[in-house]
Amino acid sequence: MLQIEPFHSTMKAPHPGDDAAATPAPAPAPKPAVADLALPAPAAAPEAIDPAQGDFPYLPSLPGSRLTAGRALAEPFYVQPSDAKQPELVAQGSIVKQYEPPAGLTAIQILDAYRAALLKAQWSLVSERRDAGVALTGHYGLNGRNIWATLHIGDTTYEIAVADATVGEAKLEASLGAQCHLALTGVLFDFKQVETQAGIRRHARARSRP
Protein backbone atom coordinates (compact mmCIF):
# COMPACT_ATOMS: atom_id res chain seq x y z
CA MET A 1 0.00 0.00 0.00
CA LEU A 2 1.36 3.47 -1.00
CA GLN A 3 2.11 5.74 1.90
CA ILE A 4 2.54 9.51 1.52
CA GLU A 5 4.67 11.31 4.00
CA PRO A 6 3.26 14.61 5.35
CA PHE A 7 4.71 17.75 3.68
CA HIS A 8 6.68 20.07 5.92
CA SER A 9 7.43 23.53 4.48
CA THR A 10 10.76 25.17 5.26
CA MET A 11 9.40 28.67 4.56
CA LYS A 12 8.89 30.89 7.57
CA ALA A 13 5.67 32.76 8.08
CA PRO A 14 6.05 36.53 7.69
CA HIS A 15 6.31 38.57 10.84
CA PRO A 16 5.38 42.20 11.32
CA GLY A 17 8.34 44.45 10.54
CA ASP A 18 10.00 42.16 7.98
CA ASP A 19 9.02 44.43 5.07
CA ALA A 20 10.37 47.49 6.88
CA ALA A 21 13.72 45.81 7.45
CA ALA A 22 14.04 45.02 3.75
CA THR A 23 13.10 48.54 2.60
CA PRO A 24 16.09 50.88 2.20
CA ALA A 25 16.19 53.98 4.37
CA PRO A 26 14.96 57.16 2.71
CA ALA A 27 17.55 59.64 1.47
CA PRO A 28 18.29 62.55 3.82
CA ALA A 29 16.36 65.72 3.17
CA PRO A 30 18.29 68.30 1.12
CA LYS A 31 19.67 71.36 2.87
CA PRO A 32 17.47 74.43 2.65
CA ALA A 33 18.48 76.84 -0.07
CA VAL A 34 19.80 80.28 0.83
CA ALA A 35 17.67 83.15 -0.45
CA ASP A 36 19.40 85.59 -2.79
CA LEU A 37 21.10 88.44 -0.93
CA ALA A 38 21.34 91.85 -2.64
CA LEU A 39 23.47 94.61 -1.10
CA PRO A 40 22.51 98.23 -1.94
CA ALA A 41 25.40 100.58 -2.63
CA PRO A 42 26.32 102.90 0.27
CA ALA A 43 25.25 106.51 -0.21
CA ALA A 44 27.76 109.31 -0.72
CA ALA A 45 27.18 110.54 2.84
CA PRO A 46 27.17 108.32 5.97
CA GLU A 47 23.73 107.00 6.86
CA ALA A 48 22.04 107.30 10.29
CA ILE A 49 21.96 103.79 11.80
CA ASP A 50 20.06 102.70 14.91
CA PRO A 51 22.05 99.90 16.59
CA ALA A 52 18.95 98.36 18.19
CA GLN A 53 16.59 98.44 15.22
CA GLY A 54 16.67 97.43 11.57
CA ASP A 55 19.55 96.38 9.36
CA PHE A 56 22.55 98.22 8.01
CA PRO A 57 21.21 99.94 4.88
CA TYR A 58 24.06 98.61 2.73
CA LEU A 59 24.66 95.29 4.56
CA PRO A 60 21.28 93.70 5.39
CA SER A 61 20.63 90.39 7.09
CA LEU A 62 19.81 87.22 5.20
CA PRO A 63 16.10 87.02 4.30
CA GLY A 64 14.29 85.17 7.08
CA SER A 65 16.76 86.21 9.80
CA ARG A 66 15.68 87.80 13.09
CA LEU A 67 17.53 90.64 14.81
CA THR A 68 18.28 89.56 18.40
CA ALA A 69 20.66 92.28 19.64
CA GLY A 70 22.45 95.44 18.58
CA ARG A 71 24.92 97.82 20.17
CA ALA A 72 27.31 100.66 19.42
CA LEU A 73 30.92 100.25 20.57
CA ALA A 74 33.09 103.31 21.22
CA GLU A 75 36.36 101.43 20.99
CA PRO A 76 39.06 100.86 18.37
CA PHE A 77 38.08 98.62 15.48
CA TYR A 78 40.81 96.37 14.11
CA VAL A 79 40.96 94.18 11.03
CA GLN A 80 43.68 91.75 10.06
CA PRO A 81 44.30 91.16 6.36
CA SER A 82 45.24 87.61 5.49
CA ASP A 83 48.81 88.64 4.65
CA ALA A 84 49.34 90.91 7.70
CA LYS A 85 51.31 89.91 10.78
CA GLN A 86 49.16 91.90 13.18
CA PRO A 87 45.71 93.56 13.26
CA GLU A 88 45.43 97.07 11.84
CA LEU A 89 43.44 99.92 13.39
CA VAL A 90 40.91 101.24 10.88
CA ALA A 91 38.32 103.12 12.97
CA GLN A 92 37.57 104.35 16.48
CA GLY A 93 34.08 102.86 16.82
CA SER A 94 31.63 100.36 15.34
CA ILE A 95 28.06 99.06 15.39
CA VAL A 96 27.37 95.37 15.94
CA LYS A 97 24.10 93.60 15.07
CA GLN A 98 23.35 89.98 16.00
CA TYR A 99 20.90 87.80 14.10
CA GLU A 100 19.26 84.40 14.35
CA PRO A 101 19.54 82.84 10.87
CA PRO A 102 16.79 80.95 9.02
CA ALA A 103 16.37 77.39 10.28
CA GLY A 104 18.59 74.73 8.75
CA LEU A 105 21.31 76.92 7.27
CA THR A 106 24.91 75.99 7.95
CA ALA A 107 27.69 78.44 8.78
CA ILE A 108 29.32 77.84 5.39
CA GLN A 109 26.06 78.53 3.55
CA ILE A 110 25.77 81.88 5.35
CA LEU A 111 29.41 82.70 4.65
CA ASP A 112 29.10 81.86 0.95
CA ALA A 113 25.93 83.94 0.61
CA TYR A 114 27.62 87.05 2.02
CA ARG A 115 30.84 86.41 0.14
CA ALA A 116 29.04 86.32 -3.21
CA ALA A 117 26.89 89.35 -2.33
CA LEU A 118 29.87 91.46 -1.22
CA LEU A 119 31.82 90.77 -4.39
CA LYS A 120 28.78 91.49 -6.55
CA ALA A 121 28.31 94.83 -4.75
CA GLN A 122 31.97 95.77 -5.42
CA TRP A 123 33.27 95.25 -1.91
CA SER A 124 36.80 93.87 -1.55
CA LEU A 125 37.47 90.82 0.61
CA VAL A 126 40.14 91.45 3.23
CA SER A 127 40.21 88.05 4.95
CA GLU A 128 38.20 84.85 5.20
CA ARG A 129 38.17 81.93 7.63
CA ARG A 130 36.28 78.68 7.09
CA ASP A 131 37.56 76.51 9.93
CA ALA A 132 36.85 77.06 13.63
CA GLY A 133 35.15 80.43 14.00
CA VAL A 134 33.80 81.03 10.50
CA ALA A 135 34.37 84.70 9.63
CA LEU A 136 34.71 87.18 6.78
CA THR A 137 36.04 90.74 6.55
CA GLY A 138 35.21 93.15 3.74
CA HIS A 139 35.93 96.76 2.76
CA TYR A 140 34.02 99.29 0.65
CA GLY A 141 36.00 102.24 -0.68
CA LEU A 142 33.91 103.63 -3.55
CA ASN A 143 31.83 106.81 -3.80
CA GLY A 144 33.91 108.58 -1.17
CA ARG A 145 33.16 105.99 1.51
CA ASN A 146 35.53 104.03 3.77
CA ILE A 147 33.53 101.20 5.36
CA TRP A 148 34.88 98.10 7.07
CA ALA A 149 32.69 95.12 7.98
CA THR A 150 33.21 91.76 9.64
CA LEU A 151 30.91 88.75 9.69
CA HIS A 152 31.22 86.22 12.52
CA ILE A 153 29.08 83.06 12.35
CA GLY A 154 28.39 80.91 15.42
CA ASP A 155 26.33 77.78 16.00
CA THR A 156 22.98 79.53 16.43
CA THR A 157 23.61 83.20 15.57
CA TYR A 158 25.72 85.40 13.34
CA GLU A 159 27.03 88.93 13.90
CA ILE A 160 27.72 91.79 11.50
CA ALA A 161 30.05 94.51 12.77
CA VAL A 162 30.46 97.70 10.74
CA ALA A 163 33.01 100.48 11.25
CA ASP A 164 32.34 103.50 9.04
CA ALA A 165 35.69 105.26 8.91
CA THR A 166 34.12 107.88 6.64
CA VAL A 167 32.66 109.51 9.76
CA GLY A 168 36.06 109.68 11.43
CA GLU A 169 37.68 111.15 8.34
CA ALA A 170 35.08 113.92 8.20
CA LYS A 171 35.72 114.78 11.87
CA LEU A 172 39.46 114.86 11.29
CA GLU A 173 39.06 117.16 8.31
CA ALA A 174 36.83 119.51 10.32
CA SER A 175 39.28 119.52 13.24
CA LEU A 176 42.21 120.27 10.96
CA GLY A 177 40.37 123.13 9.31
CA ALA A 178 39.31 124.67 12.62
CA GLN A 179 42.44 124.16 14.70
CA CYS A 180 45.20 123.96 12.06
CA HIS A 181 46.68 120.93 13.82
CA LEU A 182 45.77 117.27 14.11
CA ALA A 183 46.34 114.50 16.68
CA LEU A 184 46.88 111.11 15.06
CA THR A 185 46.14 107.83 16.83
CA GLY A 186 47.01 104.36 15.67
CA VAL A 187 49.96 105.48 13.53
CA LEU A 188 53.03 103.29 13.61
CA PHE A 189 56.51 104.65 12.90
CA ASP A 190 59.42 102.48 11.84
CA PHE A 191 62.27 103.98 13.85
CA LYS A 192 64.80 101.80 12.06
CA GLN A 193 64.39 104.14 9.09
CA VAL A 194 64.53 107.43 11.02
CA GLU A 195 67.54 109.58 10.17
CA THR A 196 69.02 112.25 12.47
CA GLN A 197 69.10 115.91 11.52
CA ALA A 198 72.90 115.72 11.37
CA GLY A 199 72.68 112.84 8.93
CA ILE A 200 70.18 114.72 6.77
CA ARG A 201 72.43 117.79 6.59
CA ARG A 202 75.44 115.59 5.75
CA HIS A 203 73.59 113.97 2.83
CA ALA A 204 72.37 117.36 1.65
CA ARG A 205 75.91 118.74 1.54
CA ALA A 206 77.12 115.67 -0.32
CA ARG A 207 74.39 116.07 -3.00
CA SER A 208 75.19 119.80 -3.41
CA ARG A 209 78.88 119.20 -4.20
CA PRO A 210 79.88 119.35 -7.89
Side-chain angles (χ1 to χ4, degrees), residues 55-76:
D55 292 339
F56 296 103
Y58 42 77
L59 198 55
S61 60
L62 282 173
S65 298
R66 183 175 67 89
L67 179 67
T68 58
R71 62 194 184 277
L73 301 178
E75 58 187 38

Side-chain angles (χ1 to χ4, degrees), residues 121-138:
Q122 296 185 294
W123 287 63
S124 58
L125 298 183
V126 179
S127 64
E128 180 178 352
R129 188 169 67 241
R130 289 177 171 263
D131 49 8
V134 178
L136 182 69
T137 300

Side-chain angles (χ1 to χ4, degrees), residues 10 15 42 46 49 53 59 61 63 75 79 91 109 146-147 158 174-175 178 182 188 191 198 201:
T10 59
H15 295 282
I49 299 174
Q53 295 183 1
L59 198 55
S61 60
E75 58 187 38
V79 299
Q109 283 181 297
N146 184 12
I147 305 172
Y158 66 94
S175 177
L182 188 65
L188 300 178
F191 289 100
R201 289 194 296 268

Side-chain angles (χ1 to χ4, degrees), residues 37 115-123:
L37 180 63
R115 187 182 193 280
L118 287 168
L119 291 174
K120 189 174 181 180
Q122 296 185 294
W123 287 63

Side-chain angles (χ1 to χ4, degrees), residues 41-172:
E47 300 85 349
I49 299 174
D50 186 341
Q53 295 183 1
D55 292 339
F56 296 103
Y58 42 77
L59 198 55
S61 60
L62 282 173
S65 298
R66 183 175 67 89
L67 179 67
T68 58
R71 62 194 184 277
L73 301 178
E75 58 187 38
F77 188 87
Y78 293 88
V79 299
Q80 183 164 0
S82 56
D83 58 348
K85 295 182 179 179
Q86 62 183 13
E88 298 179 3
L89 175 66
V90 296
Q92 292 292 343
S94 63
I95 294 177
V96 181
K97 291 179 179 287
Q98 183 184 79
Y99 297 92
E100 179 183 300
L105 294 185
T106 66
I108 297 301
Q109 283 181 297
I110 298 173
L111 178 73
D112 287 341
Y114 274 100
R115 187 182 193 280
L118 287 168
L119 291 174
K120 189 174 181 180
Q122 296 185 294
W123 287 63
S124 58
L125 298 183
V126 179
S127 64
E128 180 178 352
R129 188 169 67 241
R130 289 177 171 263
D131 49 8
V134 178
L136 182 69
T137 300
H139 177 253
Y140 187 87
L142 302 177
N143 201 22
R145 299 300 297 273
N146 184 12
I147 305 172
W148 300 84
T150 60
L151 170 70
H152 292 276
I153 308 171
D155 294 333
T156 58
T157 61
Y158 66 94
E159 284 188 350
I160 300 176
V162 170
D164 190 351
T166 316
V167 178
E169 291 172 355
K171 291 181 179 179
L172 291 177

